């Protein structure tokens, strides 16, 4: 019913300032859902956003978040969040700490039972725990057992049995713990905020004969943007004038600058290093690649990982169980004859140490940190579930063309006959092929340019010989270039020793073209889709980090596929496959391996990507289809991002397990210490605060996981 209602309401997205704990996020979401006119609402804790289906004013939303003084801002509104000084942001906690210290000084003079120390400790508790008590008492009456409820009962209980000093210590340490939690979430979210600030808010635009600085919100598709050396690009577009090197690290994670010239695509947030560029804008500001990256990363943080879902479910039962156990410890032994004050104190200690702060924050902070780190390194992970699955990958299937190989043909060998130079022969071949539309022709032309060969000017009588090659007159001499079969039909022919050389080249996965006249063969030119420099090293690294099987899938013939597969060191080669064959193979592979990744371009391999456990698209910068369809998108056209992604995922899984185990271990240890009465209130809160701090710092270690540079991965020789 709610989904049906939601379909008939408008969707609004807002940013939320002050959202620091998962429990507060849950309460805020419930409060918003209860507002009149709201059909549904979902809080994205990692991105600090709320999506509202229905009609609600900002005032109503802020009232729903008044319990935490939350501020609500429309998603697209540009707001600079003011950073309060530490002393001002935590003024109550600092004053409470000073009063607590004064209380212990007075206690040393008047004794702990004195009226003055008790009043000082009481003031420390009220000032430092005022907001905590508000939430805790409200939740207690509503029978909502969260950490605020636990801490409120424990502190008031400590005061009731005369433990004013320990109650004050608990308030101060809890305030410190909350400050640490706020800091850790701010640190984890910084990766997203830094992305949001990458692109300039204004750009120099030429309209007609005038140049003016315009806000990016006012720039239209088709406008001409002028970018000077040393400036960042504000919008996506296509270069229409100029040549420069662009640092695309913000988009692809690669710091090596890329040369851009006329007709090349460029992205907002990238840095123009050298030349003056004129760029025709191709996308509105909300549709730029950097905007889509930010949106996808924030949405990814809203997707709960399986481990996070487990922790959330566990916490629902854990907190009431701790409450019940604490009541049992405080009441049952005294009813059996034990001292009331002693066992009430132990029950209060259990409430304090049972606070689930460390457990609740253990998973989301790890997920947010890992996804943010990946985005900064040019890898988009579309949700916690995909992050976890990537860490469990046991088999990786690669599309060949454009993934393991460069995706375009290159001249690999020139075999000259008759004493003429390679430069002269490639010049003749390129002069002819410039007029051809065949895919291999461009490889010959590129090779001639790389060699600096002079192209003959007089080319006449160009003619295509269907299915075999082409012929043309170059400087008055008739030349043929095409398959070996073409020359079998000419009087020139190919001698047996040369034919053996052709077979050798073909077994290496190369296509051989022959250049010659009607009388003689002048040269063999071998062309192949060459493998990427890093492909072999990446395959080796995948095996070293626990991937059991690597497979290359291609539509090429078996001989070519085997040659490239042997060169790369993949475990298996599947050739002559249609898209539906790749899909079927991925389905079969999943029956043998629990987690299978498919790496492709995100367009032609869409069925196979969808059928895999984790679909990974390469070279996704500027490719909307790849960004939308893949589970993980490697923004750079760089296969080395794949091992990095798997290492990051494995590290994240390990840290989540460490955090959960440590958090629960501390609780179990505390339970053991309660039995002999060794666990004091201040030690209990110190243990909980320490656990929160350790879990947070452990999660932030994910920021240190980096992509390996070329010095770590040896290129393929």
């Amino acid at each position: 019913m709610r989904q049906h209602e939601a379909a008939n309401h408008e969707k609004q997205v807002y940013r939320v300032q002050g959202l620091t704990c998962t429990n507060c996020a849950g309460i805020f979401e419930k409060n918003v859902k209860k507002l009149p006119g709201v059909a549904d609402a979902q809080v994205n804790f990692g991105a600090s956003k709320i999506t509202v289906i229905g009609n609600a004013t900002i005032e109503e939303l802020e009232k729903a978040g008044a319990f935490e003084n939350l501020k609500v801002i429309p998603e697209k509104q540009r707001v600079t969040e003011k950073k309060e000084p530490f002393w001002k942001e935590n003024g109550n906690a600092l004053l409470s700490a000073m009063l607590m210290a004064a209380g212990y000084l007075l206690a040393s003079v008047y004794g702990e039972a004195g009226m003055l120390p008790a009043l000082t400790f009481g003031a420390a508790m009220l000032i430092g725990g005022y907001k905590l008590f508000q939430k805790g008492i409200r939740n207690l009456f509503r029978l909502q057992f969260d950490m605020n409820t636990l801490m409120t009962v424990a502190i008031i209980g400590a005061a009731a049995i005369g433990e004013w000093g320990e109650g004050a210590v608990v308030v101060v340490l809890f305030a410190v713990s909350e400050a640490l939690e706020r800091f850790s979430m701010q640190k984890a979210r910084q990766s997203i905020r830094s992305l949001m600030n990458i692109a300039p808010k204004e750009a120099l635009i030429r309209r007609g004969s005038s140049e003016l600085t315009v806000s990016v919100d006012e720039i239209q598709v088709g406008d001409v943007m002028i970018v000077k050396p040393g400036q960042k690009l504000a919008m996506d577009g296509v270069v229409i004038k100029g040549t420069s090197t662009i640092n695309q690290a913000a988009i692809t994670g690669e710091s090596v600058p890329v040369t851009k010239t006329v007709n090349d695509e460029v992205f907002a947030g990238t840095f123009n290093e050298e030349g003056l560029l004129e760029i025709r804008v191709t996308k509105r500001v909300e549709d730029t690649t950097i905007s889509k990256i930010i949106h996808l990363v924030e949405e990814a943080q809203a997707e709960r990982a399986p481990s996070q879902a487990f922790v959330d479910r566990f916490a629902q039962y854990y907190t009431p169980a701790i409450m019940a156990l604490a009541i049992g410890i405080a009441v049952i032994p005294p009813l059996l004859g034990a001292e009331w004050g002693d066992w009430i104190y132990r029950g209060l200690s259990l409430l304090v140490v049972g606070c689930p702060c460390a457990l609740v924050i253990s998973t989301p902070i790890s997920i947010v940190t890992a996804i943010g780190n990946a985005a900064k390194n040019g890898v988009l992970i579309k949700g916690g579930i995909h992050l976890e699955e990537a860490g469990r990958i046991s088999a990786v299937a690669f599309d060949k063309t454009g993934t393991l190989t460069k995706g375009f043909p290159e001249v690999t060998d020139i075999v000259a006959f008759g004493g003429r130079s390679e430069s002269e022969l490639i010049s003749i071949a390129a002069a002819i092929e410039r007029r051809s539309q065949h895919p291999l022709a461009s490889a010959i032309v590129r090779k001639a340019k790389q060699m600096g060969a002079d192209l003959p000017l007089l080319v006449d009588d160009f003619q295509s010989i269907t299915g075999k090659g082409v012929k043309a007159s170059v400087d008055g001499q008739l030349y043929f270039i095409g398959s070996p079969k073409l020359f079998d039909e000419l009087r020139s022919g190919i001698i047996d020793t040369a034919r053996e050389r052709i077979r050798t080249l073909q077994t290496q996965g190369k296509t051989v073209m022959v250049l010659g006249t009607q009388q003689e063969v002048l040269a063999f030119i071998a062309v192949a889709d060459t493998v990427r420099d890093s492909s072999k090293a990446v395959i080796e690294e995948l095996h070293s980090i626990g991937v059991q099987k690597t497979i290359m899938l291609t539509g090429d013939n078996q001989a070519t596929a085997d040659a490239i597969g042997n060169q790369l060191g993949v475990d298996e080669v599947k050739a002559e496959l249609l898209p539906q064959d790749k899909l079927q193979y991925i389905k079969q592979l999943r029956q043998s391996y629990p987690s299978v990744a498919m790496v492709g371009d995100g367009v032609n391999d869409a069925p196979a990507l969808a059928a895999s456990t984790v679909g990974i698209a390469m070279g996704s910068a500027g490719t909307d289809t790849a960004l939308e369809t893949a589970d993980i998108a490697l923004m750079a056209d760089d296969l080395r991002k794949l091992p990095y992604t798997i290492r990051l995922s494995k590290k994240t899984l390990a840290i989540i397990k460490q955090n959960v185990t440590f958090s629960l271990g501390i609780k179990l240890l505390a339970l053991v210490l309660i039995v002999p009465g060794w666990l004091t209130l201040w030690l209990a809160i110190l243990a909980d605060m320490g656990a929160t701090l350790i879990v947070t710092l452990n999660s932030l270690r994910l920021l240190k996981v980096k992509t390996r540079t070329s010095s770590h991965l040896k290129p393929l020789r």
Side-chain angles (χ1 to χ4, degrees), residues 398-428:
F398 296 91
D399 172 54
K400 178 185 78 70
T401 306
T403 302
L404 292 172
T405 65
K406 294 178 180 177
F408 54 87
E410 288 186 345
V411 173
T412 57
D413 302 87
I414 302 172
V415 182
F417 300 99
R420 298 172 79 167
S421 69
E422 291 184 3
S423 179
E424 179 187 358
L425 293 170
I426 200 72
S427 295
I428 295 169

mmCIF file of all heavy atoms in Angstrom, residues 398-428:
data_model
loop_
_atom_site.group_PDB
_atom_site.id
_atom_site.type_symbol
_atom_site.label_atom_id
_atom_site.label_comp_id
_atom_site.label_asym_id
_atom_site.label_seq_id
_atom_site.Cartn_x
_atom_site.Cartn_y
_atom_site.Cartn_z
ATOM 1 N N PHE A 398 37.256 -12.531 -18.283
ATOM 2 C CA PHE A 398 37.561 -11.283 -18.977
ATOM 3 C C PHE A 398 37.058 -11.345 -20.416
ATOM 4 O O PHE A 398 37.290 -12.340 -21.105
ATOM 5 C CB PHE A 398 39.078 -11.046 -19.049
ATOM 6 C CG PHE A 398 39.746 -10.859 -17.714
ATOM 7 C CD1 PHE A 398 40.275 -11.953 -17.030
ATOM 8 C CD2 PHE A 398 39.882 -9.595 -17.155
ATOM 9 C CE1 PHE A 398 40.914 -11.786 -15.814
ATOM 10 C CE2 PHE A 398 40.522 -9.422 -15.944
ATOM 11 C CZ PHE A 398 41.043 -10.512 -15.268
ATOM 12 N N ASP A 399 36.420 -10.277 -20.848
ATOM 13 C CA ASP A 399 36.251 -10.090 -22.283
ATOM 14 C C ASP A 399 37.630 -9.737 -22.842
ATOM 15 O O ASP A 399 38.396 -9.022 -22.194
ATOM 16 C CB ASP A 399 35.260 -8.951 -22.544
ATOM 17 C CG ASP A 399 35.186 -8.584 -24.007
ATOM 18 O OD1 ASP A 399 34.951 -9.479 -24.827
ATOM 19 O OD2 ASP A 399 35.396 -7.394 -24.320
ATOM 20 N N LYS A 400 37.970 -10.230 -24.027
ATOM 21 C CA LYS A 400 39.324 -9.986 -24.549
ATOM 22 C C LYS A 400 39.490 -8.574 -25.108
ATOM 23 O O LYS A 400 40.308 -7.793 -24.619
ATOM 24 C CB LYS A 400 39.678 -11.000 -25.645
ATOM 25 C CG LYS A 400 41.067 -10.751 -26.262
ATOM 26 C CD LYS A 400 41.359 -11.690 -27.418
ATOM 27 C CE LYS A 400 40.662 -11.271 -28.693
ATOM 28 N NZ LYS A 400 41.216 -10.029 -29.304
ATOM 29 N N THR A 401 38.692 -8.245 -26.109
ATOM 30 C CA THR A 401 38.913 -7.007 -26.856
ATOM 31 C C THR A 401 38.588 -5.780 -26.015
ATOM 32 O O THR A 401 37.471 -5.632 -25.529
ATOM 33 C CB THR A 401 38.065 -7.001 -28.140
ATOM 34 O OG1 THR A 401 38.346 -8.181 -28.880
ATOM 35 C CG2 THR A 401 38.374 -5.785 -28.980
ATOM 36 N N GLY A 402 39.572 -4.917 -25.836
ATOM 37 C CA GLY A 402 39.382 -3.697 -25.079
ATOM 38 C C GLY A 402 39.532 -3.864 -23.589
ATOM 39 O O GLY A 402 39.523 -2.882 -22.847
ATOM 40 N N THR A 403 39.665 -5.112 -23.120
ATOM 41 C CA THR A 403 39.839 -5.359 -21.689
ATOM 42 C C THR A 403 41.244 -5.888 -21.431
ATOM 43 O O THR A 403 42.064 -5.228 -20.788
ATOM 44 C CB THR A 403 38.778 -6.352 -21.180
ATOM 45 O OG1 THR A 403 37.482 -5.820 -21.451
ATOM 46 C CG2 THR A 403 38.919 -6.585 -19.687
ATOM 47 N N LEU A 404 41.535 -7.079 -21.941
ATOM 48 C CA LEU A 404 42.900 -7.609 -21.837
ATOM 49 C C LEU A 404 43.783 -7.043 -22.951
ATOM 50 O O LEU A 404 44.995 -6.950 -22.804
ATOM 51 C CB LEU A 404 42.873 -9.133 -21.915
ATOM 52 C CG LEU A 404 42.231 -9.838 -20.721
ATOM 53 C CD1 LEU A 404 42.081 -11.333 -21.008
ATOM 54 C CD2 LEU A 404 43.025 -9.621 -19.444
ATOM 55 N N THR A 405 43.149 -6.696 -24.076
ATOM 56 C CA THR A 405 43.893 -6.093 -25.185
ATOM 57 C C THR A 405 43.525 -4.612 -25.290
ATOM 58 O O THR A 405 42.610 -4.139 -24.627
ATOM 59 C CB THR A 405 43.569 -6.796 -26.513
ATOM 60 O OG1 THR A 405 42.193 -6.563 -26.835
ATOM 61 C CG2 THR A 405 43.824 -8.289 -26.409
ATOM 62 N N LYS A 406 44.221 -3.890 -26.146
ATOM 63 C CA LYS A 406 43.994 -2.446 -26.266
ATOM 64 C C LYS A 406 42.716 -2.110 -27.020
ATOM 65 O O LYS A 406 42.234 -0.986 -26.959
ATOM 66 C CB LYS A 406 45.194 -1.791 -26.948
ATOM 67 C CG LYS A 406 46.468 -1.863 -26.101
ATOM 68 C CD LYS A 406 47.660 -1.244 -26.813
ATOM 69 C CE LYS A 406 48.914 -1.326 -25.942
ATOM 70 N NZ LYS A 406 50.110 -0.795 -26.635
ATOM 71 N N GLY A 407 42.190 -3.083 -27.778
ATOM 72 C CA GLY A 407 40.920 -2.858 -28.448
ATOM 73 C C GLY A 407 41.037 -2.287 -29.849
ATOM 74 O O GLY A 407 40.031 -2.030 -30.498
ATOM 75 N N PHE A 408 42.264 -2.050 -30.304
ATOM 76 C CA PHE A 408 42.439 -1.584 -31.682
ATOM 77 C C PHE A 408 43.711 -2.222 -32.241
ATOM 78 O O PHE A 408 44.658 -2.507 -31.503
ATOM 79 C CB PHE A 408 42.529 -0.052 -31.762
ATOM 80 C CG PHE A 408 43.580 0.547 -30.870
ATOM 81 C CD1 PHE A 408 44.895 0.680 -31.295
ATOM 82 C CD2 PHE A 408 43.255 0.979 -29.590
ATOM 83 C CE1 PHE A 408 45.862 1.230 -30.476
ATOM 84 C CE2 PHE A 408 44.224 1.530 -28.759
ATOM 85 C CZ PHE A 408 45.533 1.654 -29.205
ATOM 86 N N PRO A 409 43.763 -2.476 -33.573
ATOM 87 C CA PRO A 409 44.897 -3.200 -34.158
ATOM 88 C C PRO A 409 46.155 -2.339 -34.227
ATOM 89 O O PRO A 409 46.081 -1.116 -34.396
ATOM 90 C CB PRO A 409 44.395 -3.562 -35.559
ATOM 91 C CG PRO A 409 43.363 -2.524 -35.867
ATOM 92 C CD PRO A 409 42.723 -2.165 -34.567
ATOM 93 N N GLU A 410 47.303 -2.996 -34.095
ATOM 94 C CA GLU A 410 48.598 -2.331 -34.238
ATOM 95 C C GLU A 410 49.505 -3.193 -35.103
ATOM 96 O O GLU A 410 49.417 -4.428 -35.083
ATOM 97 C CB GLU A 410 49.266 -2.133 -32.875
ATOM 98 C CG GLU A 410 48.613 -1.073 -32.011
ATOM 99 C CD GLU A 410 49.395 -0.820 -30.730
ATOM 100 O OE1 GLU A 410 50.259 -1.666 -30.395
ATOM 101 O OE2 GLU A 410 49.164 0.204 -30.062
ATOM 102 N N VAL A 411 50.385 -2.538 -35.861
ATOM 103 C CA VAL A 411 51.383 -3.272 -36.642
ATOM 104 C C VAL A 411 52.440 -3.812 -35.684
ATOM 105 O O VAL A 411 53.042 -3.057 -34.914
ATOM 106 C CB VAL A 411 52.031 -2.362 -37.701
ATOM 107 C CG1 VAL A 411 53.194 -3.091 -38.397
ATOM 108 C CG2 VAL A 411 50.994 -1.914 -38.724
ATOM 109 N N THR A 412 52.635 -5.121 -35.705
ATOM 110 C CA THR A 412 53.600 -5.748 -34.792
ATOM 111 C C THR A 412 54.890 -6.172 -35.499
ATOM 112 O O THR A 412 55.952 -6.208 -34.882
ATOM 113 C CB THR A 412 52.964 -6.988 -34.125
ATOM 114 O OG1 THR A 412 52.530 -7.895 -35.158
ATOM 115 C CG2 THR A 412 51.770 -6.589 -33.276
ATOM 116 N N ASP A 413 54.803 -6.513 -36.791
ATOM 117 C CA ASP A 413 55.978 -6.994 -37.529
ATOM 118 C C ASP A 413 55.949 -6.447 -38.958
ATOM 119 O O ASP A 413 54.885 -6.394 -39.589
ATOM 120 C CB ASP A 413 55.997 -8.532 -37.600
ATOM 121 C CG ASP A 413 56.003 -9.186 -36.232
ATOM 122 O OD1 ASP A 413 54.882 -9.396 -35.676
ATOM 123 O OD2 ASP A 413 57.083 -9.476 -35.716
ATOM 124 N N ILE A 414 57.126 -6.066 -39.442
ATOM 125 C CA ILE A 414 57.294 -5.736 -40.867
ATOM 126 C C ILE A 414 58.452 -6.591 -41.382
ATOM 127 O O ILE A 414 59.589 -6.461 -40.900
ATOM 128 C CB ILE A 414 57.614 -4.241 -41.074
ATOM 129 C CG1 ILE A 414 56.498 -3.359 -40.489
ATOM 130 C CG2 ILE A 414 57.800 -3.937 -42.561
ATOM 131 C CD1 ILE A 414 56.828 -1.879 -40.495
ATOM 132 N N VAL A 415 58.157 -7.493 -42.309
ATOM 133 C CA VAL A 415 59.186 -8.376 -42.874
ATOM 134 C C VAL A 415 59.433 -7.927 -44.316
ATOM 135 O O VAL A 415 58.561 -8.088 -45.181
ATOM 136 C CB VAL A 415 58.738 -9.854 -42.834
ATOM 137 C CG1 VAL A 415 59.855 -10.751 -43.381
ATOM 138 C CG2 VAL A 415 58.352 -10.258 -41.413
ATOM 139 N N ALA A 416 60.607 -7.330 -44.568
ATOM 140 C CA ALA A 416 60.909 -6.754 -45.890
ATOM 141 C C ALA A 416 61.684 -7.745 -46.755
ATOM 142 O O ALA A 416 62.501 -8.522 -46.260
ATOM 143 C CB ALA A 416 61.704 -5.463 -45.720
ATOM 144 N N PHE A 417 61.413 -7.710 -48.076
ATOM 145 C CA PHE A 417 62.130 -8.541 -49.046
ATOM 146 C C PHE A 417 62.741 -7.620 -50.111
ATOM 147 O O PHE A 417 62.325 -6.467 -50.280
ATOM 148 C CB PHE A 417 61.182 -9.536 -49.720
ATOM 149 C CG PHE A 417 60.513 -10.485 -48.769
ATOM 150 C CD1 PHE A 417 59.215 -10.245 -48.329
ATOM 151 C CD2 PHE A 417 61.178 -11.611 -48.301
ATOM 152 C CE1 PHE A 417 58.595 -11.121 -47.460
ATOM 153 C CE2 PHE A 417 60.561 -12.482 -47.421
ATOM 154 C CZ PHE A 417 59.265 -12.247 -46.995
ATOM 155 N N GLY A 418 63.728 -8.146 -50.822
ATOM 156 C CA GLY A 418 64.277 -7.446 -51.987
ATOM 157 C C GLY A 418 65.162 -6.266 -51.650
ATOM 158 O O GLY A 418 65.422 -5.423 -52.517
ATOM 159 N N GLY A 419 65.596 -6.144 -50.394
ATOM 160 C CA GLY A 419 66.553 -5.110 -50.040
ATOM 161 C C GLY A 419 65.982 -3.725 -49.821
ATOM 162 O O GLY A 419 66.735 -2.777 -49.551
ATOM 163 N N ARG A 420 64.669 -3.556 -49.928
ATOM 164 C CA ARG A 420 64.086 -2.232 -49.695
ATOM 165 C C ARG A 420 63.854 -2.032 -48.195
ATOM 166 O O ARG A 420 63.596 -2.987 -47.449
ATOM 167 C CB ARG A 420 62.781 -2.074 -50.473
ATOM 168 C CG ARG A 420 63.020 -2.188 -51.988
ATOM 169 C CD ARG A 420 61.750 -2.236 -52.791
ATOM 170 N NE ARG A 420 61.159 -0.901 -52.956
ATOM 171 C CZ ARG A 420 60.178 -0.654 -53.833
ATOM 172 N NH1 ARG A 420 59.709 -1.626 -54.617
ATOM 173 N NH2 ARG A 420 59.681 0.553 -53.940
ATOM 174 N N SER A 421 63.910 -0.768 -47.725
ATOM 175 C CA SER A 421 63.825 -0.484 -46.286
ATOM 176 C C SER A 421 62.384 -0.594 -45.784
ATOM 177 O O SER A 421 61.423 -0.421 -46.547
ATOM 178 C CB SER A 421 64.347 0.922 -45.990
ATOM 179 O OG SER A 421 63.465 1.906 -46.505
ATOM 180 N N GLU A 422 62.253 -0.867 -44.476
ATOM 181 C CA GLU A 422 60.929 -0.942 -43.846
ATOM 182 C C GLU A 422 60.204 0.393 -43.974
ATOM 183 O O GLU A 422 58.997 0.438 -44.214
ATOM 184 C CB GLU A 422 61.064 -1.318 -42.361
ATOM 185 C CG GLU A 422 61.524 -2.741 -42.118
ATOM 186 C CD GLU A 422 61.548 -3.085 -40.635
ATOM 187 O OE1 GLU A 422 61.139 -2.216 -39.811
ATOM 188 O OE2 GLU A 422 61.958 -4.207 -40.283
ATOM 189 N N SER A 423 60.951 1.497 -43.815
ATOM 190 C CA SER A 423 60.348 2.828 -43.873
ATOM 191 C C SER A 423 59.734 3.093 -45.247
ATOM 192 O O SER A 423 58.621 3.621 -45.359
ATOM 193 C CB SER A 423 61.401 3.885 -43.555
ATOM 194 O OG SER A 423 60.848 5.176 -43.634
ATOM 195 N N GLU A 424 60.449 2.709 -46.293
ATOM 196 C CA GLU A 424 59.950 2.925 -47.649
ATOM 197 C C GLU A 424 58.699 2.096 -47.905
ATOM 198 O O GLU A 424 57.706 2.575 -48.466
ATOM 199 C CB GLU A 424 61.035 2.570 -48.671
ATOM 200 C CG GLU A 424 60.596 2.753 -50.126
ATOM 201 C CD GLU A 424 61.633 2.236 -51.115
ATOM 202 O OE1 GLU A 424 62.713 1.760 -50.669
ATOM 203 O OE2 GLU A 424 61.349 2.286 -52.323
ATOM 204 N N LEU A 425 58.739 0.829 -47.479
ATOM 205 C CA LEU A 425 57.622 -0.076 -47.732
ATOM 206 C C LEU A 425 56.371 0.328 -46.947
ATOM 207 O O LEU A 425 55.258 0.258 -47.461
ATOM 208 C CB LEU A 425 58.034 -1.512 -47.398
ATOM 209 C CG LEU A 425 59.120 -2.106 -48.320
ATOM 210 C CD1 LEU A 425 59.641 -3.416 -47.767
ATOM 211 C CD2 LEU A 425 58.563 -2.313 -49.731
ATOM 212 N N ILE A 426 56.557 0.733 -45.667
ATOM 213 C CA ILE A 426 55.391 1.142 -44.866
ATOM 214 C C ILE A 426 54.798 2.430 -45.423
ATOM 215 O O ILE A 426 53.591 2.666 -45.340
ATOM 216 C CB ILE A 426 55.761 1.282 -43.367
ATOM 217 C CG1 ILE A 426 54.482 1.221 -42.498
ATOM 218 C CG2 ILE A 426 56.506 2.561 -43.092
ATOM 219 C CD1 ILE A 426 53.851 -0.116 -42.408
ATOM 220 N N SER A 427 55.647 3.289 -46.044
ATOM 221 C CA SER A 427 55.150 4.511 -46.682
ATOM 222 C C SER A 427 54.221 4.174 -47.837
ATOM 223 O O SER A 427 53.145 4.777 -47.997
ATOM 224 C CB SER A 427 56.314 5.356 -47.198
ATOM 225 O OG SER A 427 57.105 5.832 -46.153
ATOM 226 N N ILE A 428 54.641 3.200 -48.663
ATOM 227 C CA ILE A 428 53.819 2.793 -49.809
ATOM 228 C C ILE A 428 52.500 2.199 -49.322
ATOM 229 O O ILE A 428 51.416 2.544 -49.814
ATOM 230 C CB ILE A 428 54.594 1.781 -50.686
ATOM 231 C CG1 ILE A 428 55.832 2.450 -51.299
ATOM 232 C CG2 ILE A 428 53.678 1.186 -51.760
ATOM 233 C CD1 ILE A 428 56.799 1.479 -51.956
#
